[in-house]
Amino acid sequence: MPKLDSVLACLDLNIGRSVERLSDLLKIPSISTDPAYAGDCRRAAEWLAGDLDAIGFKASVRDTTGHPMVVAHHDGPEGSPHVLFYGHYDVQPVDPLNLWESEPFDPQLKTMPDGSKRIVGRGSADDKGQLMTFVEACRAWKAETGGLPCKVTIFLEGEEESGSPSLLPFLDAHREELSADVALICDTNMWDKDTPAISTGLRGLVGEEVTITAADKDLHSGYFGGAAANPIRILAEIIADLHDENGAVTLPGFYDGVPELPAEQRAIWDGLGFDERAFLGQVNLSVPAGEKGRSVLEQTWSRPTAEVNGITGGYTGKGFKTVIASQATAKISFRLVFDQDPQKIRDAFRAFVTERLPADCSVEFHEHGASPAIQLPFDSPVLQTARAALSAEWPKPAVMIGMGGSIPVVGEFKRLLSMGSLLIGFGLGDDQIHSPDEKYELTSFHKGQRSWARVLAALGENGAKG
Amino acid sequence: MPKLDSVLACLDLNIGRSVERLSDLLKIPSISTDPAYAGDCRRAAEWLAGDLDAIGFKASVRDTTGHPMVVAHHDGPEGSPHVLFYGHYDVQPVDPLNLWESEPFDPQLKTMPDGSKRIVGRGSADDKGQLMTFVEACRAWKAETGGLPCKVTIFLEGEEESGSPSLLPFLDAHREELSADVALICDTNMWDKDTPAISTGLRGLVGEEVTITAADKDLHSGYFGGAAANPIRILAEIIADLHDENGAVTLPGFYDGVPELPAEQRAIWDGLGFDERAFLGQVNLSVPAGEKGRSVLEQTWSRPTAEVNGITGGYTGKGFKTVIASQATAKISFRLVFDQDPQKIRDAFRAFVTERLPADCSVEFHEHGASPAIQLPFDSPVLQTARAALSAEWPKPAVMIGMGGSIPVVGEFKRLLSMGSLLIGFGLGDDQIHSPDEKYELTSFHKGQRSWARVLAALGENGAKG
């Protein structure tokens, strides 16, 4: 019997025990945002360090100025890759308590009318259930083979639900200890219950504020109208120029470092059955508005954008004033993908504006942050390895998706540790995280463990290089 | 000796007496904005009614809820035109008093180092000195010929410096009495000390507020950026579309009713020696920004405009938010000239915006007023008559100029009495109206009287039809 098969069999055999362990962890009310639960947060950290020690990790609870971190190390075979697993043991508050069907910290295994089972309780999906899928996979590997296929560091924080104030200083102080070939993060959802998903990155961002000044005071449009430059109009013309008739951004060099979506990837996304109308319909829109010929998924997951986030100039109060403003200001941001260079984008934008300034007008720019995209190429070996491993477990092949909201830890891993991240999670859209009756499907928990067992095996065999 | 020559000679002979009369009027502190001077305002009105009665007018002081009006009538020859002369007897406050070289209400005739003489005192130029030029011309006509060349109504208000609250109700209640062929208004400046000017009208105005709505809530640009319509960008594109590359307004039909400047008129304006750089330089601009190939004077006096007076959308506070706004709003005004139809301009603008709305976006319009231009054609007979009469008096020919600031009475005359206005004044740019040491050049006062004597003669001869 090959090693992986016996590990998977072990996980199947012990699913009952693993649910009991998760229940023990779920009983600890580790609400990070409420100081009354600081002791419970520490208890959860200690419970995890104890469990990891029991598996054979060298685990420790590390103090911070907030809630403690858990760091655990386990060697892999000579020459095997080093992976860092990230999760968080803290949970959201439970209000409104009266909407819960059962006690939030008295976890229940419930059987639904369709026969499916779910674990109900605060933290079951976000993120205790998810992080335990990885822990259980390691436990089974150790139990069946005496070791792990890779060198593994497990890094768990207790402040994810309260802004992660200790994360950056901790990472900065432990760069060497925490640097690995790749980070595995289990805090996201599947595409649907049959289709696992790997989020391979986040779009970057360049924020710019541009103020155009014409006259040195506001003017009366009767006296000066027609003869004096109007900075609102100039700004509007520049904004209008930023996109061409097909919705593409016109900054020279803007698409440098932006690969076309591989045909295979496009076909996968097109095949996801994503309901564009439903997605847009939730905000009363119906027609994708971006680059022509590109789907909503392609646009939001793999294409850069230029958006005006705010504009102001002249008289904006009630009624009317026939003023020609001295100044107009816009806040403009660029979402970046793949290898776009934030500084080059900023420079290109500033040159674009400056070139379009008519005589007599001046411009001031203010920087509002710059971060590159964090995105593994679709053909990156580690991604393909993880994808194949996941696809072997689930009814449908794994899909690589983009990320909308930002996950700060991904950026910090990249910036401080030069480490890419694979976001692989087994949550579902109806898990009610942050809400009453939070649940985690037993299928998610069980097949999540099996997924990690497979991913670890595959990474051990193929390496974890981006 | 022709009648006009003897009238002019009479004015020359009596200049000393006319200065004394003006001084008597200037001694009355008719500050309309300060209730403490209400009695003085009435005294000024009574002084004027008395003086007009003495000349031979049928004059009366008419009560209002504010300061009184003076209305005086005098017949003209059978079939002669009817002109209405408008002026105001109220004056600005005198603060700061310590900056006056002489007492504001103790008028002085001062001789300057270059030998020129000026009348110094509050109201000397604005508007008592100006209105008395017309009264003295009538006095001389009566003295020399026993009559006036036209039917003349003199209408003087006492609230011009305090918002004219009684003007509209008074005009409305006395439409028939005050309607004439043309209004003559003496409350403006010459082009320069050698060049008389006739302001022939005011630009009209259409005010529009346009709000574009895309999604029904503000969106996160990470999640929706690229896929969701951005109303700021749509609004910017519409604003940018409003002008072509030559600075002309692109609304279909916008220039209907806008005649090209007659070559002769253009030559006159070009010959005025108007210093565009100095005009723009006062607000830190240097290059005319409007329609290419048209001078600043042509643009501000005879061309319509489209200006964005205000714009707002999205996040405009400190810092940055990566929001895609639900709405963006702009306030846009059109300055109208000649025969442009405000309603057609409004309709054209709304159609222009609506045609450019992408799918999913809606627009709301709010109206902020509409007034047509009030402008006599350059070839109008009454204008040519007045121009010839003025040109005969001064070293340089009279020029027809446009008006920047609005003079409400002109609009009310047009709206309520269907009466056009000729604005002919003899003030100079350095008269310091509204400031300490207000003055009126003796030349302005004397040649102003002679100018009106000539204008009355010419209108009597040629008629006063627009």
Side-chain angles (χ1 to χ4, degrees):
Chain A
M1 193 178 194
K3 284 180 177 177
L4 176 59
D5 287 347
S6 68
V7 171
L8 295 174
C10 172
L11 288 169
D12 295 346
L13 200 63
N14 287 286
I15 182 64
R17 278 289 299 129
S18 70
V19 170
E20 285 170 22
R21 278 188 290 269
L22 174 57
S23 293
D24 287 346
L25 179 57
L26 290 175
K27 285 175 186 164
I28 306 173
S30 48
I31 301 170
S32 61
T33 197
D34 185 342
Y37 296 91
D40 295 303
C41 288
R42 179 167 293 274
R43 269 212 295 143
E46 286 167 352
W47 186 96
L48 282 160
D51 192 48
L52 289 167
D53 262 337
I55 291 171
F57 279 81
K58 189 172 167 53
S60 55
V61 173
R62 309 282 184 88
D63 285 343
T64 70
T65 54
H67 303 303
M69 306 286 183
V70 176
V71 180
H73 296 289
H74 195 289
D75 273 339
E78 180 77 23
S80 66
H82 180 191
V83 302
L84 177 110
F85 177 84
Y86 165 90
H88 64 92
Y89 64 78
D90 62 320
V91 300
Q92 280 276 316
V94 295
D95 302 319
L97 194 56
N98 63 315
L99 295 185
W100 285 79
E101 282 191 15
S102 52
E103 290 295 314
F105 297 109
D106 179 19
Q108 307 286 319
L109 184 65
K110 289 188 182 168
T111 304
M112 304 306 289
D114 66 359
S116 71
K117 289 185 164 63
R118 54 179 55 176
I119 302 152
V120 179
R122 173 56 87 224
S124 56
D126 182 18
D127 181 49
K128 288 171 174 172
Q130 298 248 55
L131 78 85
M132 286 303 289
T133 58
F134 189 84
V135 174
E136 295 298 342
C138 291
R139 189 189 322 272
W141 267 104
K142 282 286 284 184
E144 290 298 311
T145 72
L148 298 179
C150 310
K151 180 178 176 187
V152 174
T153 297
I154 293 180
F155 171 53
L156 309 172
E157 73 162 318
E159 299 179 333
E160 200 271 348
E161 304 291 6
S162 53
S164 298
S166 306
L167 179 65
L168 197 151
F170 192 84
L171 289 179
D172 196 37
H174 302 85
R175 291 181 189 224
E176 199 169 341
E177 182 181 5
L178 297 173
S179 291
D181 296 313
V182 70
L184 306 173
I185 299 179
C186 193
D187 199 17
T188 50
N189 283 357
M190 315 228 316
W191 176 254
D192 61 30
K193 70 180 180 49
D194 294 329
T195 316
I198 309 177
S199 303
T200 58
L202 304 169
R203 289 197 285 188
L205 188 77
V206 168
E208 280 280 279
E209 182 165 336
V210 52
T211 298
I212 291 175
T213 303
D216 61 4
K217 54 183 74 70
D218 287 356
L219 308 178
H220 187 278
S221 78
Y223 195 44
F224 281 97
N230 184 328
I232 300 176
R233 179 174 143 204
I234 293 160
L235 185 57
E237 287 169 350
I238 289 168
I239 290 168
D241 266 5
L242 263 179
H243 291 85
D244 69 16
E245 62 201 18
N246 295 315
V249 177
T250 55
L251 287 190
F254 186 71
Y255 292 97
D256 290 354
V258 182
E260 273 302 318
L261 202 58
E264 182 212 18
Q265 188 59 37
R266 181 191 300 272
I268 290 171
W269 285 356
D270 288 348
L272 284 176
F274 176 73
D275 188 338
E276 296 197 339
R277 285 211 162 244
F279 173 78
L280 293 170
Q282 65 186 311
V283 295
N284 203 32
L285 298 176
S286 65
V287 181
E291 289 181 89
K292 281 186 188 155
R294 299 185 189 274
S295 71
V296 166
L297 290 189
E298 185 179 0
Q299 284 181 20
T300 55
W301 288 353
S302 73
R303 300 295 296 177
T305 65
E307 293 286 358
V308 188
N309 304 111
I311 190 167
T312 185
Y315 181 71
T316 60
K318 291 265 174 208
F320 211 87
K321 281 191 187 174
T322 51
V323 67
I324 297 178
S326 166
Q327 294 194 322
T329 295
K331 296 180 199 274
I332 295 177
S333 63
F334 301 92
R335 294 267 169 193
L336 309 186
V337 299
F338 294 98
D339 296 322
Q340 282 179 296
D341 179 335
Q343 191 55 47
K344 279 191 185 166
I345 301 291
R346 192 188 301 286
D347 292 345
F349 173 68
R350 293 185 174 189
F352 185 90
V353 172
T354 306
E355 281 163 14
R356 281 163 177 75
L357 276 191
D360 284 341
C361 292
S362 61
V363 62
E364 268 187 275
F365 297 100
H366 291 281
E367 179 173 333
H368 287 289
S371 58
I374 297 160
Q375 198 150 358
L376 293 175
F378 290 117
D379 57 358
S380 111
V382 68
L383 183 55
Q384 294 302 335
T385 297
R387 190 179 161 211
L390 288 170
S391 300
E393 174 62 29
W394 295 87
K396 293 189 180 168
V399 292
M400 290 172 288
I401 64 175
M403 285 291 302
S406 83
I407 296 191
V409 70
V410 175
E412 302 304 345
F413 281 168
K414 184 72 184 183
R415 196 168 64 85
L416 290 172
L417 310 181
S418 301
M419 179 167 64
S421 296
L422 291 178
L423 292 90
I424 300 172
F426 306 100
L428 292 176
D430 65 352
D431 281 349
Q432 312 222 96
I433 63 169
H434 297 203
S435 299
D437 293 336
E438 177 179 349
K439 61 90 176 170
Y440 199 45
E441 296 291 327
L442 183 61
T443 308
S444 292
F445 190 52
H446 181 205
K447 289 176 77 72
Q449 299 169 14
R450 291 173 53 100
S451 295
W452 286 123
R454 291 180 188 274
V455 169
L456 283 172
L459 293 175
E461 197 164 316
N462 300 323
K465 296 295 176 191
Chain B
M1 193 178 193
K3 283 180 181 178
L4 176 60
D5 287 347
S6 68
V7 169
L8 296 175
C10 173
L11 288 168
D12 295 347
L13 198 63
N14 286 285
I15 182 66
R17 279 290 298 130
S18 70
V19 170
E20 285 169 23
R21 278 186 290 268
L22 174 57
S23 293
D24 288 345
L25 179 58
L26 291 174
K27 285 174 186 164
I28 306 172
S30 48
I31 301 170
S32 60
T33 198
D34 186 342
Y37 296 90
D40 295 303
C41 289
R42 179 166 293 274
R43 267 212 295 144
E46 285 167 352
W47 187 97
L48 283 159
D51 192 47
L52 290 167
D53 263 335
I55 290 171
F57 279 81
K58 190 173 163 55
S60 55
V61 173
R62 309 281 183 90
D63 286 343
T64 70
T65 54
H67 302 303
M69 306 287 185
V70 176
V71 181
H73 297 290
H74 195 291
D75 273 340
E78 180 76 24
S80 68
H82 180 192
V83 302
L84 177 110
F85 178 85
Y86 165 90
H88 64 92
Y89 65 79
D90 63 319
V91 299
Q92 280 275 317
V94 295
D95 302 320
L97 194 56
N98 63 314
L99 295 185
W100 286 79
E101 282 192 17
S102 51
E103 289 295 313
F105 296 109
D106 179 19
Q108 307 287 318
L109 184 66
K110 289 189 184 168
T111 303
M112 304 306 289
D114 66 358
S116 71
K117 289 184 164 63
R118 54 178 56 173
I119 302 151
V120 179
R122 174 56 87 225
S124 56
D126 184 17
D127 181 46
K128 288 172 175 172
Q130 299 247 53
L131 77 86
M132 286 302 289
T133 57
F134 190 82
V135 173
E136 296 298 343
C138 292
R139 189 190 321 274
W141 266 103
K142 282 286 284 184
E144 290 297 313
T145 72
L148 297 179
C150 310
K151 180 179 176 186
V152 174
T153 297
I154 292 181
F155 172 53
L156 308 172
E157 73 161 319
E159 300 179 333
E160 200 273 347
E161 304 291 5
S162 52
S164 299
S166 306
L167 180 65
L168 197 149
F170 192 84
L171 289 179
D172 197 36
H174 301 86
R175 291 183 191 222
E176 199 169 341
E177 181 181 4
L178 297 173
S179 291
D181 295 314
V182 70
L184 305 174
I185 300 179
C186 193
D187 198 17
T188 51
N189 284 357
M190 314 230 315
W191 176 254
D192 61 30
K193 71 180 179 52
D194 294 329
T195 315
I198 309 176
S199 303
T200 57
L202 304 168
R203 290 198 283 190
L205 189 76
V206 167
E208 280 280 280
E209 183 164 336
V210 51
T211 298
I212 291 175
T213 303
D216 61 3
K217 55 183 75 71
D218 287 356
L219 308 177
H220 187 279
S221 79
Y223 195 43
F224 280 97
N230 184 327
I232 300 176
R233 179 175 144 204
I234 293 160
L235 184 58
E237 288 169 349
I238 288 169
I239 290 169
D241 267 4
L242 264 180
H243 291 85
D244 69 16
E245 63 202 16
N246 295 315
V249 176
T250 55
L251 289 190
F254 185 71
Y255 291 98
D256 290 354
V258 182
E260 272 303 319
L261 201 58
E264 182 211 17
Q265 188 59 38
R266 183 191 299 272
I268 290 170
W269 286 357
D270 287 348
L272 283 176
F274 176 73
D275 188 338
E276 298 197 337
R277 283 208 166 247
F279 173 79
L280 293 170
Q282 64 186 313
V283 295
N284 203 31
L285 299 174
S286 64
V287 181
E291 289 181 89
K292 281 186 188 155
R294 300 184 189 273
S295 71
V296 165
L297 290 189
E298 185 180 359
Q299 284 181 20
T300 54
W301 288 352
S302 72
R303 299 297 296 177
T305 65
E307 294 286 357
V308 187
N309 303 110
I311 191 167
T312 184
Y315 181 69
T316 60
K318 291 264 172 207
F320 211 88
K321 281 192 186 174
T322 51
V323 67
I324 297 178
S326 167
Q327 293 194 322
T329 295
K331 296 180 200 273
I332 295 176
S333 63
F334 301 91
R335 294 268 168 191
L336 309 187
V337 298
F338 295 98
D339 297 322
Q340 282 179 297
D341 179 335
Q343 191 55 47
K344 279 191 184 164
I345 301 291
R346 190 187 302 286
D347 292 346
F349 173 70
R350 293 183 174 190
F352 185 91
V353 173
T354 306
E355 279 164 15
R356 281 163 178 76
L357 277 191
D360 285 340
C361 291
S362 61
V363 63
E364 269 188 274
F365 297 99
H366 291 281
E367 179 174 332
H368 287 288
S371 57
I374 298 161
Q375 197 149 357
L376 293 175
F378 290 115
D379 57 359
S380 111
V382 68
L383 183 55
Q384 293 301 336
T385 297
R387 190 180 161 212
L390 288 171
S391 300
E393 174 63 28
W394 295 86
K396 294 189 180 170
V399 293
M400 290 172 288
I401 64 174
M403 284 293 301
S406 82
I407 296 192
V409 71
V410 175
E412 302 305 344
F413 282 167
K414 184 73 183 181
R415 196 167 64 85
L416 291 172
L417 310 182
S418 301
M419 180 168 62
S421 297
L422 291 179
L423 292 89
I424 300 172
F426 306 100
L428 293 176
D430 65 351
D431 281 349
Q432 312 222 93
I433 62 168
H434 297 204
S435 299
D437 293 336
E438 178 178 348
K439 60 89 178 170
Y440 198 44
E441 295 292 329
L442 184 60
T443 307
S444 292
F445 189 51
H446 182 204
K447 290 176 78 71
Q449 298 170 12
R450 290 173 53 98
S451 296
W452 285 124
R454 291 179 188 276
V455 168
L456 284 172
L459 293 176
E461 195 165 318
N462 301 320
K465 296 293 176 194

